[in-house]
Amino acid sequence: MRLLMLGGTGFVGGATVAEAVRRGWSVTVFNRGVHGAVPEGVHRLRGDRTAPDGLAALAGGEWDLVVDTWDGAPQAVRDAARALVGSVPHYAYVSSGSVYAPPVPAEVGEEAPVVAAASDAGDGDYAQNKAGGERAAVEVFGDGALLVRAGLILGPGEDIGRLPWWLDRIARGGDVLAPGPQDLPIQYVDVRDLAAWTLDRGAERVGGAFNVISRSGHATMGELLAATVAATGSDARLRWTDPEQILAAEVVPWNDLPIWVPLGHEYRWLQERGVEKAYASGLTCRPVAETVADTWRWLRQVGSVPARAGRPARSAVGLDPEREVALLGSPRPA
């Protein structure tokens, strides 16, 4: 198989390139050449997809599959797809569950409506950009477009810092505010499982939209944090705290306490998407302990969460230490 990866040095793109190389595929990456490195044997084409004639390096190439993770202006997906329509038969666009139009029901499936977006739009918010990117891929490639609606993505290389924040916090030890309840189901996908599924379905030329994320309850908050304590070897003491007390202190789920979204919260659907279509097509998800241990090993090697490739940095995640101490003053059992 001949893979063209648009980008290829960020979180999802890097994992996709690594998986393709592991399979022995011929891999070409297209990017500006200013961020990160690529594995030995990978061919690198340079260009800026947002610049006039920035896609010129793609002319004359031939590939079996292209994977695109772009989350900026949809018109950049449209332009890339148009430039490649004669060079590659299948276009896999890594999108997001954020495309679903609110209010989003629990167990939302791929048939649900998405936010209004145009394929020729300039930069918008994240949901509009991803929805517009989907529309662009389908307008150009039709049934040859695979829409990979990922959810929370964890694993080595994470450039948002959600799991790394928990790893660093628990590694420091002491009393740790653990948002209850312990058996709260969480839903996520390891970046390596996402990459493998995308390449498998792309090689099979599967089209259409898929929610590519584990089943809700693949792990719980208790299992995630216990795995974090085990991986770091920390003496941290998890102080499980009632979610009502945490919310009353204006702690923001997902951002202040990464990954955690309590039952009944307006964004709980982020942890409760319907995934039977992806599982029926071959999605498998590795145990949470493996994801956590491998992420800790990687984080110790690199030292800190890397900057995001090619996009403005997102707001930092994680609870301020002083607020954590205040909340731990008189927690009620979760």
Side-chain angles (χ1 to χ4, degrees):
M1 287 287 293
R2 299 166 298 174
L3 171 69
L4 171 63
M5 183 74 224
L6 302 183
T9 58
F11 181 29
V12 176
T16 304
V17 168
E19 174 62 17
V21 169
R22 187 192 67 79
R23 296 178 179 203
W25 290 14
S26 171
V27 180
T28 300
V29 300
F30 170 81
N31 55 47
R32 295 176 301 160
V34 299
H35 182 98
V38 295
E40 183 178 354
V42 170
H43 181 51
R44 192 169 199 169
L45 298 175
R46 284 175 167 79
D48 183 347
R49 64 192 297 170
T50 66
D53 298 321
L55 298 167
L58 298 175
E62 291 187 358
W63 300 276
D64 300 302
L65 171 66
V66 57
V67 176
D68 188 1
T69 62
W70 182 255
D71 63 1
Q75 62 189 11
V77 179
R78 178 205 60 187
D79 293 346
R82 287 177 175 176
L84 291 167
V85 70
S87 301
V88 60
H90 209 68
Y91 200 106
Y93 178 65
V94 181
S95 185
S96 167
S98 296
V99 299
Y100 292 114
V104 184
E107 299 299 322
V108 63
E110 292 84 356
E111 73 288 347
V114 302
V115 299
S119 61
D120 61 352
D123 208 5
D125 66 27
Y126 182 73
Q128 292 170 331
N129 285 345
K130 284 299 192 182
E134 287 190 1
R135 183 178 291 274
V138 171
E139 285 180 358
V140 178
F141 276 83
D143 292 340
L146 173 63
L147 308 180
V148 185
R149 290 177 180 164
L152 170 62
I153 308 172
L154 303 177
E158 187 197 333
D159 55 8
I160 300 298
R162 295 187 176 101
L163 181 53
W165 183 83
W166 279 113
L167 285 160
D168 282 338
R169 171 62 195 92
I170 286 176
R172 293 200 306 269
D175 288 342
V176 175
L177 178 69
Q182 294 187 51
D183 62 356
L184 179 71
I186 62 173
Q187 186 179 46
Y188 68 95
V189 66
D190 186 295
V191 68
R192 296 162 295 182
D193 298 330
L194 173 66
W197 184 92
T198 301
L199 294 182
D200 285 343
R201 302 295 81 77
E204 296 168 355
R205 298 192 181 179
V206 172
F210 292 79
N211 289 336
V212 185
I213 188 171
S214 74
R215 292 186 174 95
S216 186
H218 177 72
T220 64
M221 279 303 298
E223 291 166 342
L224 174 76
L225 297 191
T228 304
V229 172
T232 59
S234 172
D235 63 357
R237 297 173 296 277
L238 300 177
R239 297 277 297 274
W240 290 99
T241 304
D242 185 85
E244 285 72 25
Q245 180 181 352
I246 296 173
L247 295 174
E250 299 184 347
V251 171
V252 180
W254 194 260
N255 293 330
D256 289 337
L257 290 173
I259 302 172
W260 178 69
V261 183
L263 297 177
H265 192 274
E266 63 177 315
Y267 294 124
R268 178 60 197 171
W269 65 269
L270 290 168
Q271 301 276 3
E272 295 180 346
R273 269 166 276 188
V275 295
E276 294 312 310
K277 185 179 178 183
Y279 271 85
S281 70
L283 176 64
T284 59
C285 294
R286 69 193 66 205
V288 66
E290 182 177 339
T291 297
V292 170
D294 290 348
T295 303
W296 178 238
R297 188 176 302 111
W298 160 78
L299 188 60
R300 285 186 295 171
Q301 291 172 349
V302 299
S304 62
V305 175
R308 299 188 67 231
R311 295 287 294 160
R314 292 182 180 170
S315 300
V317 298
L319 188 63
D320 180 81
E322 292 184 2
R323 295 184 70 195
E324 182 184 18
V325 169
L327 276 162
L328 285 170
S330 56
R332 296 191 301 269

